[in-house]
Amino acid sequence: LSLLPSADLDLNNRVGDGDVVLDLDRDQSAEFELETQDGRIKVHAAEISDFVQKRSRVTGRLGAGEAKIYVRSDDGSVTLRQ
């Protein structure tokens, strides 16, 4: 899933079975929450603030955190790239 930068972005995506790869523009400002029950979570971004990583959940903020991103995969990995 590739997204263009937008302060109005409100992404709430849940996948039952499968990996999710989220590609964000370098200028995207967003708060994010990524979860998986059975998989890995990877975040590749230059600057992340308020980063918290637990076993099955990762939260953080890119830039000012204007947009909201929530992604969950019940059985698969979640990757955020910026």
Side-chain angles (χ1 to χ4, degrees):
L1 186 61
S2 295
L3 303 174
L4 297 174
S6 172
D8 297 330
L9 178 66
D10 187 5
L11 176 67
N12 187 336
N13 188 8
R14 182 173 180 167
V15 176
D17 185 18
D19 296 340
V20 177
V21 178
L22 185 61
D23 286 315
L24 301 178
D25 190 271
R26 288 190 180 272
D27 296 327
Q28 181 65 61
S29 169
E31 290 183 9
F32 63 87
E33 181 177 348
L34 312 173
E35 289 188 275
T36 182
Q37 288 298 309
D38 186 20
R40 302 178 89 178
I41 300 173
K42 300 174 192 170
V43 178
H44 305 282
E47 294 184 30
I48 304 171
S49 54
D50 300 330
F51 186 78
V52 177
Q53 184 171 10
K54 297 184 180 177
R55 187 181 66 78
S56 63
R57 183 173 177 255
V58 172
T59 60
R61 187 175 70 230
L62 304 169
E66 296 169 292
K68 306 295 183 228
I69 297 172
Y70 173 79
V71 176
R72 175 188 171 108
S73 177
D74 291 334
D75 186 14
S77 295
V78 178
T79 302
L80 183 144
R81 299 186 297 213
Q82 184 182 38

